[in-house]
Amino acid sequence: MDIQKGIFPSTFLFFLGLFSLSLLLHFPFLNKDLIGVHVWRQTQTQTGIDNFCREGNSILNPTLNSNPETDRIVRLEFPLMQWGFAQVEKHFSNPVLITRL
């Protein structure tokens, strides 16, 4: 029992320090827009989140901005994460920051 009491605080402080260091190093980039060649999936996810907020909140009808001549509903996977992020985004103003956090 005494060994576990001594290990837990040091382990907790170690992981808290890692999290704090990661947040500090990523802080300048948290508020920037999604750019680059390799972020196509992230931008597709963010578009789905934005469309849940702007156009409709139905989790069964996720829309993307492609194919304007159709209903734009794209059912690749069940969009639970995107829908959940959209619910948080409705209450806060910065969608990219919310997604990155």
Side-chain angles (χ1 to χ4, degrees), residues 15-30:
F15 284 112
L16 182 65
L18 282 179
F19 175 76
S20 301
L21 179 63
S22 177
L23 188 62
L24 180 69
L25 292 174
H26 286 94
F27 188 73
F29 307 103
L30 287 178

Side-chain angles (χ1 to χ4, degrees), residues 58-74:
S58 174
I59 195 168
L60 298 176
N61 296 323
T63 59
L64 295 178
N65 292 340
S66 57
N67 299 330
E69 63 276 352
T70 65
D71 60 0
R72 300 178 319 147
I73 294 175
V74 178

Side-chain angles (χ1 to χ4, degrees), residues 6 10 25 33 68 76 89 91 94:
S10 61
L25 292 174
D33 216 6
L76 298 175
E89 184 180 315
H91 299 290
N94 194 337

